[in-house]
Amino acid sequence: MTPPAVAVERGAAPVPPPAPARPHGKTDRALRRSACRVLLGNWTGHSTVPSHGLYPHQWSWDSAFIAIGLRHLSPLRAQRELETLLGAQWGDGRIPHIVFNRAVPLGAYFPSPDFWRSSTAGAAAGAPGALETSGIVQPPVHALAAWLVHRADPEASARRGFLARVHPRLVAWHRYLADRRDLGGGGLAAVVHPWEPGMDNSPCWDGPLARIEPAAAESFRRADLVHGTAADRPTDLDYGRYVRLAATYRDHGYRDAAAPHPFAVEDPGFNALFAASEYALARIADALGGAPDVHRERAAALTDALVERLWSPEAGQFLSRDLRADGTGRRPAGRLVRARSAAGLLPLLAPDLPPAVVEALLATVRGPHFGLGTTVRLLPSYDLRGAAFDPHRYWRGPAWFNVNWLLERGLRLHGARERADALAGEILRAAHESNFAEYLDPYTGAGRGTRDFSWTAALALDLLARRARDASAPLPAPRKDS
């Protein structure tokens, strides 16, 4: 695919056509060595940090993506990555979004363990007593990661009993989301903090956050600004609101039934990953001789609920639903947030979307709001035409490698193989040129945030492995588990 060189908004230069096709062997081998160097350097002995400076602990969905890449370097290490994370699971089933490393000084990251106080404040919800975690969650990529890790070396996985160990924990995690987090009563899991859907600072949260009184500025000290420019990070006002929400949840013992949840949103990306992981959990159950149908049925129900509650034909994509925007008691609860996020394209990960929805999503991906392959080479995290778009500020426009990797899977799943191949090539090019940056300016491709970022390196490894397979064998038919 060679996109035309078209002028873009905000004074950006036209996008030049990509370089001519060339053999990838030597370049791919060098990129693989560099990606392995990043993952080996960020390994702590039991898990992988996203980066040693800005993110010195273990993060939930980071570790899922990291394990997906690690399986090409060491399936055993990939298994340990997930097992370490699942070892911090709470009694109610939740997988916390951070597992803290005791060896890291408290001041290195905020909110730190003494803010969350999980082992005491979360005791009634089953928080582990022997280690400290956060009290919120992140998107449920873990069953998908576990299945892919198992498939990397099924014999070694079976010898270690990997699937047998992680299966009950993954079932409990999904049960928590289905039972405790269906705050809107429509079959979708709600997020209760902007950090939970992963796209922390998205303009989609501006409306829901506007109702939140921020914590006093003197009550916390931001550690993130030590490692990055303030122009790239969330504002102090938004950060104060994040702190207020987390403190309120903590002060209610992290109990979902007791907490007021002034921020409660159904996010399409979060629930798309929930559905994809239910399909993966069905495969895990089947491999263990269990009952996969319950997971397939839940995945199908999640897909139906996504379409019913979050699909916008006018926008041509899925939108978030703010469950606290409408206090009238009408059904369905809340109101759609009209801001366009890349999360609204991730339901392409669901294999059973209605064909008309798939067609509309594929058009939106290339259309003026996201411009993939026409205006930009990697999918931006937010609407290029949105009033709040910022190519540099965290999740308000930059392109992220994990989002583009997920979209590549969705394109491939729904038969858009040439577009998926082109996107995979752009992801690999950008990973190499940016030194495995955390995220990119979607127009210029310039790296932003920290470098040697773990999920960037891990997902580059995964795409390199696919490209190597494709170069040596005929293209397979699309599969729902690869």
Side-chain angles (χ1 to χ4, degrees):
M1 177 183 71
T2 303
V6 294
V8 297
E9 297 183 10
R10 305 182 187 275
V15 175
R22 55 169 173 75
H24 298 295
K26 184 176 181 180
T27 303
D28 282 4
R29 286 193 295 272
L31 183 58
R32 188 183 191 280
R33 287 193 297 271
S34 296
C36 290
R37 171 191 57 79
V38 171
L39 293 179
L40 292 172
N42 289 343
W43 175 252
T44 66
H46 47 79
S47 64
T48 309
V49 296
S51 71
H52 283 288
L54 185 56
Y55 306 104
H57 302 285
Q58 183 179 24
W59 262 258
S60 173
W61 77 326
D62 290 71
S63 277
F65 290 122
I66 289 164
I68 288 168
L70 273 177
R71 68 189 171 121
H72 303 294
L73 174 60
S74 167
L76 174 59
R77 185 169 289 189
Q79 292 174 31
R80 291 179 63 190
E81 182 81 34
L82 294 174
E83 289 166 350
T84 299
L85 177 68
L86 292 171
Q89 187 172 29
W90 290 29
D92 64 5
R94 85 183 72 191
I95 298 174
H97 98 294
I98 304 174
V99 182
F100 290 107
N101 183 346
R102 294 187 188 90
V104 175
L106 287 178
Y109 181 82
F110 180 84
S112 50
D114 57 340
F115 171 88
W116 295 102
R117 302 198 294 272
S118 64
S119 62
T120 53
L131 50 81
E132 296 295 330
T133 75
S134 67
I136 60 175
V137 302
Q138 279 189 320
V141 200
H142 312 88
L144 174 61
W147 176 246
L148 293 177
V149 167
H150 165 75
R151 293 299 304 155
D153 190 343
E155 292 183 1
S157 173
R159 283 197 304 271
R160 292 191 69 244
F162 171 66
L163 288 184
R165 283 201 303 279
V166 301
H167 175 257
R169 291 184 176 273
L170 294 170
V171 169
W173 166 222
H174 286 201
R175 186 183 301 119
Y176 166 79
L177 293 175
D179 293 350
R180 309 285 182 99
R181 285 300 189 89
D182 185 7
L183 302 181
L188 296 179
V191 295
V192 300
H193 194 288
W195 291 338
E196 291 199 320
M199 300 186 184
D200 308 7
N201 195 37
S202 171
C204 295
W205 317 142
D206 291 354
L209 279 175
R211 300 189 294 268
I212 309 303
E213 179 70 24
E218 65 273 13
S219 67
F220 62 93
R221 185 188 69 82
R222 296 180 62 175
D224 61 317
L225 298 181
V226 175
H227 302 282
T229 175
D232 285 4
R233 305 293 298 173
T235 65
D236 286 342
L237 176 61
D238 282 338
Y239 215 92
R241 288 167 169 155
Y242 303 156
V243 172
R244 172 73 69 186
L245 284 169
T248 299
Y249 196 27
R250 177 199 64 204
D251 294 346
H252 285 81
Y254 300 112
R255 291 171 296 169
D256 290 296
H261 297 314
F263 180 99
V265 173
E266 293 172 347
D267 176 68
F270 191 101
N271 282 282
L273 288 167
F274 191 7
S277 275
E278 280 289 352
Y279 279 117
L281 197 52
R283 293 185 177 276
I284 291 171
D286 192 40
L288 293 172
D293 287 350
V294 63
H295 302 296
R296 295 192 184 105
E297 290 166 3
R298 181 178 290 164
L302 283 163
T303 302
D304 290 343
L306 273 165
V307 174
E308 179 182 349
R309 296 177 66 81
L310 305 186
W311 174 246
S312 169
E314 298 79 16
Q317 68 172 90
F318 292 85
L319 302 174
S320 297
R321 178 173 291 275
D322 179 1
L323 295 174
R324 300 294 183 254
D326 183 359
T328 64
R330 293 178 300 185
R331 308 296 291 179
R335 187 165 55 237
L336 289 178
V337 176
R338 294 299 166 182
R340 296 169 175 264
S341 160
L345 307 174
L346 295 186
L348 282 169
L349 293 164
D352 298 323
L353 284 177
V357 171
V358 173
E359 183 178 357
L361 286 172
L362 293 177
T364 299
V365 168
R366 285 180 59 85
H369 294 283
F370 292 95
L372 183 65
T374 57
T375 304
V376 294
R377 287 184 174 165
L378 291 179
L379 187 79
S381 53
Y382 179 66
D383 182 0
L384 294 171
R385 294 187 168 187
F389 174 83
D390 186 326
H392 299 160
R393 196 178 289 276
Y394 208 62
W395 291 109
R396 299 181 80 84
W400 289 75
F401 287 91
N402 66 327
V403 173
N404 279 270
W405 180 88
L406 290 167
L407 179 63
E408 190 268 353
R409 289 181 67 84
L411 293 173
R412 197 173 299 279
L413 178 65
H414 289 285
R417 183 172 292 152
E418 290 186 5
R419 293 170 65 175
D421 288 343
L423 179 55
E426 293 297 345
I427 293 170
L428 291 171
R429 179 190 61 80
H432 167 69
E433 293 181 357
S434 70
N435 193 23
F436 303 103
E438 184 180 1
Y439 53 93
L440 304 171
D441 181 314
Y443 284 126
T444 69
R448 311 294 298 190
T450 190
R451 302 302 192 272
D452 285 349
F453 197 66
S454 288
W455 78 26
T456 304
L459 298 177
L461 275 181
D462 189 62
L463 293 177
L464 286 169
R466 177 187 289 278
R467 189 149 76 179
R469 291 196 306 269
D470 289 351
S472 60
L475 287 173
R479 292 178 55 181
K480 297 177 184 178
D481 66 332
S482 62

